[in-house]
Each structure stands twice: as C-alpha cells, then as structure tokens.
Amino acid sequence: SMQGNIGMVCNSAGLCMATNDAIIEAGGLPANFSDLGGSAIHEQIDALLHLVNSDSNVKVIFINCYGGITNIKKVFATLAMCLKTETVTKPVVIRTLGLESD
C-alpha cells in the first residue's frame, strides 16, 4: 500500500517499477504496488483486483501488462469475468503490449 489514488496492477516487478515511475512523472500517485506475475490464474487475478478495488484510497485502476510471460488473452478473459461479476467497481484503464500466446 502506498499514499496515492491510482491502483496499479502489472505483470512483473520491473514493469510495476516502470509504471510507478510513469504515473509519478505524469503527475499521479500510485496507491499500491501489485504484481500479478507471469503465471497468474483466474482466482489470483480476481483476488488481486478485489484487493485493489477494495482500497478506499483507489479512485481508478490502471492495468499494465506485457504479453511475454503472461497470456494476454487469459488476462482479458479474467478481466471481463470480473467486470461482469462486479469484482471491480472503479474505473479501469488497461494497457497491454506483446504476445497473445495460448
């Protein structure tokens, strides 16, 4: 947990650190440091999103994923399920880049 209001979810510690710096450079403040990892499954992603969403300081959730280790299709499928079940109730911004391997 950190002092800001932008919930941050990334898929590697390095990408989390770079995203943290980019948010600060753009004038924002991260509310957390959340790494969903390269082999996260639906339940883990759902739990992480629930945790970030439940933080009262978080006003928006920024998801930044690189499809090198993480399967972007699976991340999107999980996000769609979470949004349908109202796990995430705050605005979400998603940025992805990379592979869409199965």
Side-chain angles (χ1 to χ4, degrees):
S1 184
M2 297 163 70
Q3 301 296 320
N5 61 3
I6 300 172
M8 182 177 60
V9 176
C10 304
N11 66 325
S12 74
L15 188 57
C16 281
M17 289 187 289
T19 302
N20 181 69
D21 291 346
I23 289 172
I24 292 169
E25 183 70 25
L29 288 174
N32 62 291
F33 188 97
S34 300
D35 177 4
L36 63 85
S39 59
I41 59 173
H42 170 77
E43 291 80 9
Q44 293 167 321
I45 295 171
D46 187 60
L48 177 57
L49 289 173
H50 179 73
L51 181 65
V52 173
N53 188 70
S54 66
D55 183 339
S56 61
N57 293 327
V58 171
K59 303 303 179 209
V60 64
I61 299 172
F62 179 56
I63 300 170
N64 190 11
C65 290
Y66 177 73
I69 341 171
T70 303
N71 184 321
I72 296 301
K73 287 181 183 178
K74 289 181 182 177
V75 171
F76 278 130
T78 299
L79 290 172
M81 285 194 290
C82 292
L83 293 171
K84 286 180 184 176
T85 61
E86 298 181 14
T87 296
V88 177
T89 56
K90 297 177 181 175
V92 177
V93 176
I94 302 171
R95 179 197 178 272
T96 62
L97 181 68
L99 304 173
E100 296 183 31
S101 59
D102 286 325

